[in-house]
Amino acid sequence: MEVKPIPDNALPVTDLRAQKSAQERNPEQIKKVARDFEAMFVSMMLKSMRDTVGKDTLTGGGRGEETFRSLLDQEYANAAVQGGGIGLAQTIERELSRAYGTPAPAKGVRDAD
């Protein structure tokens, strides 16, 4: 039995850089993705921090408190990112901008938002 190679034109295109759309190159979209990722990361850090402290017996606990506590942590994370964050969003934005060929923000310059 002879094994024949598959012709290149029969294989699917795997070069992701060639498939970039205009939306992926949009600097505002890159900025939003970077901030959303940083907010998710900060929210996960807050959840981990909260797991290390004791339960609050004053409010009674329960499922409702767990649900609303996670929502409050998400809002804390979003507020932290809007206030400058921990610097992760700027790094991600710079790297995504470099990968997609859009102008990157200057290093160390914070947004005026």
Side-chain angles (χ1 to χ4, degrees):
M1 178 170 159
E2 183 181 338
V3 177
K4 296 180 183 178
I6 299 172
D8 288 339
N9 60 357
L11 297 174
V13 176
T14 58
D15 184 12
L16 297 178
R17 290 184 189 264
Q19 297 176 1
K20 287 188 273 187
S21 68
Q23 183 180 13
E24 290 172 330
R25 294 180 184 169
N26 183 354
E28 291 302 316
Q29 182 70 17
I30 289 174
K31 184 177 184 177
K32 181 183 181 326
V33 166
R35 284 183 170 210
D36 289 348
F37 182 83
E38 183 177 19
M40 180 183 64
F41 182 77
V42 171
S43 179
M44 290 172 66
M45 283 184 6
L46 286 171
K47 182 182 181 316
S48 295
M49 178 222 43
R50 210 170 286 288
D51 290 343
T52 65
V53 296
K55 298 288 180 189
D56 183 18
T57 58
L58 180 64
T59 57
R63 277 288 191 212
E65 185 174 347
E66 288 177 20
T67 300
F68 289 112
R69 179 66 65 190
S70 68
L71 293 174
L72 182 62
D73 287 346
Q74 287 176 355
E75 288 304 312
Y76 284 156
N78 289 333
V81 170
Q82 293 301 320
I86 58 174
L88 186 60
Q90 290 83 11
T91 303
I92 292 171
E93 185 179 352
R94 189 171 47 252
E95 293 303 316
L96 286 175
S97 295
R98 185 182 307 163
Y100 288 111
T102 59
K107 186 174 181 180
V109 174
R110 297 221 180 238
D111 298 354
D113 294 2

